[in-house]
Amino acid sequence: MSHNNQKKIAVINDISGFGRCSIAVELPIISALKVQCCPLPTAILSNHTGFDSFYFDDYTERMVPYMNEWEKIGLQFSGICTGFLGSERQIRIVEEFLAKFRTPQTIVIIDPVMGDNGKVYSTYTPQMCAEMRKLVQYADILTPNLTEACILTDTQYHNNWAKKDLEELAEKIADKGTKKIVITGIQQGKYVANYCYEQGKGGYLVRTMKVGTQRSGTGDIFTSIIAADAVNGVDFHESVRKASSFIKQCILKSMELDIPLTDGVCFEELLTTLR
Ligand code: PXL
C-alpha cells in the first residue's frame, strides 16, 4: 500500500471562489482525466482579479509548513503544475517546492500567468516578471499565452504574427531548456491558433475556429488538460487539439447559457465528455 500508487499532480495556484479559474478548474479537469489533483494554494480570493473588486488573502507564509507536511507523508508527484503566483517570494517558494519534490520522472508544467491582451496583470511587478523568467527554466512544458511569451523574451507584443516569427519566439524560450511549449491565444482572423514547439520535432500550429469572446479561466482549463495528458503519456499534439476543442465547446455552451465573460466557461456541462 502506498500514497503513490496512483498518479498525482501537485497544482500550485490560487483558489478563487468565483469566476472559474485556477484550482477551481484544475481539480475537476485533472480528476476527470483520472489523475489525483493535490492543490497547494498561493492565495485565496473571493473572485478573480478580472472583477472590479475582490478580496485577496495571501497564502505565502503558509505555503512552506504546508509543503513540509507533504514531504513528511512522502508524497511523490508525476506532475507539478504551477499557475498564478502573487509575489516574488512565492515564486522562490515554488523553486523550493521543485527542489524537494521533483524527481527525474516528474513532469513540470509551468503556466507563467503574468498577463493577457498585451498587458501585464495589475498584481504583477517587474521584479516578479524577472523571477518568473528564472522559474521557467525548470519547465518541461510551458503554456504561455502570446502576451506572456512576449514578456518572457522581451519581445514587443503585436497582433500579426507570421509562422517564422512564432518559431523564433518559441525557440528563444526553448533555449532555456523547455522541452515542449505551446503559445496560446494567437488571433488569426477567423481562427485562434496555438503555436506548439517540441524539441527535436520543431514547431507547428493548431488552429480552431474562433467562437465568441475570450473568457477568463480558459488558460487554466488548457493547462490542466495538457498536464493530466502529459502524465498519462498522451501525445502533445493530440493533447493541444483536445484542449482547444474542449475550450471551444465550453465557450459555445457559455454563450448559449448567456454567462457573463467574467464568470469563465461553464465547463461542468461538458466535463463528462472529456477523456
Ligand atoms: O486565469 C488566470 C488567473 C488566475 N488567478 C487569478 C486571476 C487570473 C486572471 O485574471 O485573477 C486570481
Side-chain angles (χ1 to χ4, degrees):
M1 214 182 285
S2 160
H3 297 307
N4 300 310
N5 284 348
Q6 194 190 9
K7 285 186 174 155
K8 286 193 288 305
I9 297 180
V11 297
I12 309 176
N13 213 333
D14 71 88
I15 298 180
S16 289
F18 189 71
R20 275 177 291 216
C21 67
S22 11
I23 288 176
V25 310
E26 288 177 313
L27 260 171
I29 300 269
I30 291 173
S31 302
L33 292 170
K34 299 187 169 54
V35 178
Q36 188 183 357
C37 176
C38 305
L40 165 53
T42 56
I44 300 178
L45 294 89
S46 52
N47 44 277
H48 64 64
T49 63
F51 287 85
D52 291 337
S53 172
F54 52 87
Y55 172 72
F56 180 97
D57 185 19
D58 180 56
Y59 209 66
T60 308
E61 290 318 314
R62 274 83 124 208
M63 288 172 74
V64 174
Y66 187 120
M67 72 194 202
N68 287 345
E69 294 302 320
W70 282 4
E71 195 179 20
K72 278 193 217 163
I73 311 170
L75 299 188
Q76 289 170 6
F77 298 101
S78 307
I80 298 172
C81 185
T82 78
F84 180 88
L85 301 172
S87 63
E88 273 173 83
R89 162 112 178 91
Q90 226 167 60
I91 304 177
R92 283 195 295 273
I93 292 175
V94 172
E95 287 177 275
E96 275 175 48
F97 187 93
L98 294 174
K100 272 189 202 296
F101 292 99
R102 186 186 201 199
T103 70
Q105 288 75 42
T106 312
I107 301 173
V108 177
I109 304 103
I110 295 184
D111 186 9
V113 179
M114 294 193 282
D116 208 355
N117 301 311
K119 292 198 202 84
V120 179
Y121 288 134
S122 59
T123 53
Y124 235 81
T125 62
Q127 289 78 14
M128 287 169 73
C129 289
E131 208 56 48
M132 182 57 89
R133 281 196 195 116
K134 285 191 229 154
L135 184 67
V136 300
Q137 296 176 32
Y138 296 93
D140 294 301
I141 303 178
L142 198 66
T143 60
N145 61 31
L146 187 54
T147 306
E148 291 153 351
C150 288
I151 300 171
L152 287 174
T153 53
D154 268 327
T155 307
Q156 180 71 39
Y157 175 87
H158 62 85
N159 261 323
N160 189 17
W161 293 81
K163 192 164 175 250
K164 79 167 192 357
D165 298 330
L166 289 166
E167 188 173 345
E168 218 172 90
L169 192 62
E171 270 170 358
K172 262 194 207 166
I173 301 172
D175 271 355
K176 298 185 177 120
T178 311
K179 296 185 197 79
K180 292 177 184 157
I181 299 162
V182 48
I183 303 173
T184 60
I186 305 160
Q187 306 297 318
Q188 291 189 329
K190 283 188 193 148
Y191 298 94
V192 56
N194 298 304
Y195 184 78
C196 307
Y197 183 88
E198 295 185 59
Q199 264 187 24
K201 198 168 165 185
Y204 51 90
L205 280 164
V206 172
R207 302 208 295 184
T208 39
M209 208 53 135
K210 196 190 300 186
V211 290
T213 318
Q214 272 191 320
R215 287 171 176 267
S216 37
T218 51
D220 300 308
I221 297 180
F222 190 90
T223 302
S224 307
I225 296 174
I226 299 294
D229 273 359
V231 306
N232 282 332
V234 177
D235 172 69
F236 191 58
H237 194 162
E238 186 189 327
S239 182
V240 172
R241 273 198 299 251
K242 181 201 292 187
S244 314
S245 133
F246 182 72
I247 288 167
K248 180 176 149 193
Q249 298 307 322
C250 289
I251 294 175
L252 287 171
K253 193 72 190 174
S254 305
M255 288 161 72
E256 187 189 316
L257 298 182
D258 211 13
I259 307 278
L261 295 181
T262 45
D263 299 11
V265 291
C266 46
F267 66 86
E268 302 85 354
E269 297 280 331
L270 292 141
L271 194 58
T272 55
T273 67
L274 189 64
R275 60 197 78 229

